[in-house]
Amino acid sequence: MSERGRGDRRGGMSRGGRGGAVRGNRGGMGGRGGRGGGGDRRKGREGNNNRQAKKKGGSKVIIEAHRHRGVFIARGKEDMLVTLNMVVGNTVYGEKKVVVEGSSPEEKKEYRQWNPFRSKLAACILRGIRDIYMGPGSKVLYLGAASGTTVSHVSDIVGPTGAVYAVEMAHRPGRELIEVAKIRTNIVPIIEDARYPAKYRMIVPMVDVLFADVAQRAQAQIFSINASNFLKNDGHFVISIKASCIDSTVAPSTVFSKVRDELIENQFKPIEQISLEPYERDHAVVTGVYRPSKKEKAPE
Ligand code: SAM
């Protein structure tokens, strides 16, 4: 892939789009609906199509709804993936903001840049994943929350009617996560080891989506035990797999297939798999459905 196709480490996106997905050839910004999703644009809290906005330095940008609900593209000198800031004025990790002035202060909207080099979920969106299965109102159990970088964008996506149950076992990032959750009231921080879901069963309800980015050897087991406790039948999953954390002695593709097999044995039905290159090396994201009651078609 050329440099032009890579965006930059600050999280900008070039207009040229990106390389295709592992399956099919859906460039992140081009291809099937990648530029915000031809014909699939939604209105409402998330639907602020083609609004003129201003980046903090003053340059003009246009906001377009992405085909993933709750996700947007700020088109300007440099395109950026953004989410609608649930808490106007708040930033979480020094990300850029794009402001859309309304005719009254209540109508003012703010978007936060979502950096694919700092978030596997953003990376898989830019790589053209077909569905992330979360949108306004979703309840998401998020394993491996760290200090809340990606969690904060999931909080924007699910909005005030949704919830993110964010599990992190390390205390230092956990403290920062708690601070983020004090401001973003749809985040429930859980400072626990995700290997022991019984410890948080009183806090977490059945959820629509299970997401994991724990970068751990036992991540498939951790994922399965959390799914069996909290994920609805026909609920969806999104798992980020870092090959070297599981087995650095074999090819990443072998690790990915092993994890997929383990997931299938545990009643997960994978629908899509996507590589996170060039944002993350030897990482894949697998999405799918849990205990499906009916057949869900895999993308061609
Ligand atoms: N998802 C984060 C983001 O995008 O902002 C980055 C997550 S980082 C790659 C992995 C995190 O998983 C680390 O913060 C680590 O402490 C956490 N983790 C690893 N094993 C865990 C476990 N068993 N339970 C809870 N958290 C765990």
Side-chain angles (χ1 to χ4, degrees):
M1 176 177 290
S2 69
E3 280 305 314
R4 183 174 159 70
R6 285 171 190 260
D8 63 37
R9 293 226 150 241
R10 297 186 307 273
M13 307 185 291
S14 69
R15 282 186 179 279
R18 294 170 198 289
V22 167
R23 297 224 180 131
N25 187 20
R26 297 181 294 281
M29 295 297 291
R32 202 163 42 179
R35 271 184 169 255
D40 189 21
R41 294 181 180 157
R42 289 153 168 98
K43 295 223 155 70
R45 179 184 181 270
E46 76 279 19
N48 188 18
N49 293 328
N50 295 348
R51 283 198 169 216
Q52 269 222 348
K54 264 194 181 167
K55 237 162 64 183
K56 219 176 153 212
S59 59
K60 285 256 164 63
V61 258
I62 301 281
I63 300 289
E64 283 181 17
H66 197 281
R67 72 190 152 86
H68 298 299
R69 293 186 307 139
V71 181
F72 301 84
I73 302 157
R75 295 200 181 283
K77 218 164 106 192
E78 182 186 70
D79 295 347
M80 294 189 290
L81 195 69
V82 294
T83 54
L84 177 60
N85 196 356
M86 200 183 85
V87 184
V88 174
N90 173 250
T91 52
V92 176
Y93 55 104
E95 66 280 19
K96 283 184 195 156
K97 289 193 290 187
V98 177
V99 178
V100 179
E101 301 292 349
S103 44
S104 66
E106 298 76 53
E107 278 184 20
K108 179 175 163 181
K109 292 196 175 188
E110 202 174 82
Y111 297 81
R112 298 190 301 129
Q113 180 176 20
W114 195 4
N115 187 336
F117 291 98
R118 297 192 59 173
S119 168
K120 280 125 205 164
L121 192 57
C124 78
I125 290 174
L126 289 184
R127 292 288 285 116
I129 199 122
R130 194 180 66 140
D131 207 333
I132 56 169
Y133 302 104
M134 45 186 102
S138 300
K139 287 193 169 55
V140 179
L141 174 57
Y142 188 122
L143 310 178
S147 54
T149 303
T150 303
V151 167
S152 71
H153 289 286
V154 175
S155 148
D156 284 346
I157 291 171
V158 304
T161 58
V164 193
Y165 300 90
V167 183
E168 172 54 51
M169 74 173 179
H171 283 260
R172 222 172 78 175
R175 276 196 293 276
E176 290 176 42
L177 176 67
I178 290 169
E179 291 307 311
V180 174
K182 280 182 186 163
I183 295 163
R184 298 177 158 267
T185 50
N186 63 354
I187 299 175
V188 179
I190 300 167
I191 313 307
E192 290 290 355
D193 186 332
R195 286 177 298 177
Y196 308 109
K199 292 196 170 174
Y200 44 89
R201 70 169 203 283
M202 302 302 278
I203 306 172
V204 181
M206 295 305 281
V207 296
D208 306 303
V209 183
L210 176 62
F211 176 92
D213 177 20
V214 289
Q216 269 241 0
R217 195 181 174 81
Q219 63 174 273
Q221 289 102 294
I222 293 174
F223 204 56
S224 300
I225 189 172
N226 278 275
S228 68
N229 276 273
F230 306 113
L231 185 56
K232 290 174 181 167
N233 292 351
D234 290 315
H236 288 91
F237 68 89
V238 180
I239 182 169
S240 168
I241 306 164
K242 182 178 178 181
S244 62
C245 277
I246 296 170
D247 189 346
S248 56
T249 64
V250 296
S253 56
T254 310
V255 176
F256 300 147
S257 336
K258 270 191 176 164
V259 173
R260 273 176 77 107
D261 290 347
E262 217 173 320
L263 292 176
I264 292 165
E265 274 166 30
N266 286 288
Q267 298 180 278
F268 295 93
K269 183 174 182 276
I271 294 176
E272 199 175 3
Q273 178 177 325
I274 210 158
S275 147
L276 297 188
E277 298 275 354
Y279 304 107
E280 298 280 354
R281 184 179 284 180
D282 297 338
H283 276 70
V285 161
V286 178
T287 65
V289 60
Y290 186 57
R291 293 180 177 152
S293 57
K294 58 182 185 304
K295 278 197 168 169
E296 195 157 330
K297 240 183 114 190
E300 291 119 39

